[in-house]
Amino acid sequence: MKRILYLSFVIFQLSVSGAAAQTGLKINELFEGRIIPQEKMVETRVRGKTLAKYQLTYYRSVRFTATSEEAERLMHMVEADGKGHFATGGDKSFKTMYGKEHSITFKTQVRKQGDKNCFLCYQSFWRGNNPERQVTVIYMEGPVRSLEQLEELLKIED
């Protein structure tokens, strides 16, 4: 019985610490399901040794279909969270068109959570004049020092 209670407590602590990871960021509204309902998102959370080679301790992503207005709002939230920090991409510089395919990618470092550096990535993709966007938002944290260093670590795996 003690083991079950202990295991329940550990699971609760991990879920609470994961939920609190992006607290204080505007994009937290998305992760809490206040912009896109939770049941319409595919969510991935990773902790542990799998992330060690990237110098990360926590990875959380959500993928979903959004209207063009929702996608635009989310892009502005990510930009606001990264204000004053190094960022790459954005609405103009990474908006590309290949035939009838469009995408926007934006990556930024955001304010620290305790002693961990934190990063947000946003990508939306759509075809032609379709008002629906396939959107992915990723939150990462860990001792990796900068967005440039994180991008280099991720390139190693390509």
Side-chain angles (χ1 to χ4, degrees), residues 1-65:
M1 184 66 176
K2 286 183 181 180
R3 240 188 231 166
I4 292 172
L5 287 173
Y6 177 75
L7 184 58
S8 297
F9 177 75
V10 168
I11 290 170
F12 172 75
Q13 287 294 83
L14 288 174
S15 67
V16 169
S17 66
Q22 57 284 333
T23 299
L25 298 176
K26 293 180 185 301
I27 203 66
N28 193 42
E29 287 184 53
L30 171 67
F31 287 105
E32 290 181 349
R34 291 187 295 203
I35 298 172
I36 305 294
Q38 294 277 347
E39 60 272 6
K40 292 187 177 185
M41 295 190 287
V42 175
E43 182 174 11
T44 303
R45 295 183 197 203
V46 181
R47 286 189 182 279
K49 292 180 183 181
T50 307
L51 298 171
K53 62 185 168 187
Y54 305 109
Q55 297 180 32
L56 294 171
T57 56
Y58 185 62
Y59 170 98
R60 184 177 186 186
S61 72
V62 288
R63 190 181 72 227
F64 51 89
T65 300

Side-chain angles (χ1 to χ4, degrees), residues 70-108:
E70 290 168 332
E72 183 85 12
R73 177 180 175 201
L74 292 167
M75 173 70 179
H76 291 301
M77 292 170 83
V78 171
E79 287 178 320
D81 284 335
K83 190 172 180 122
H85 296 278
F86 180 78
T88 63
D91 201 16
K92 303 290 184 239
S93 61
F94 274 86
K95 187 172 186 179
T96 58
M97 188 170 106
Y98 299 104
K100 295 184 178 186
E101 295 179 350
H102 309 265
S103 69
I104 297 173
T105 302
F106 183 79
K107 296 175 256 175
T108 187

Side-chain angles (χ1 to χ4, degrees), residues 53-54 152-158:
K53 62 185 168 187
Y54 305 109
E152 285 301 314
L153 290 167
L154 295 173
K155 281 182 192 176
I156 292 170
E157 293 298 310
D158 288 343

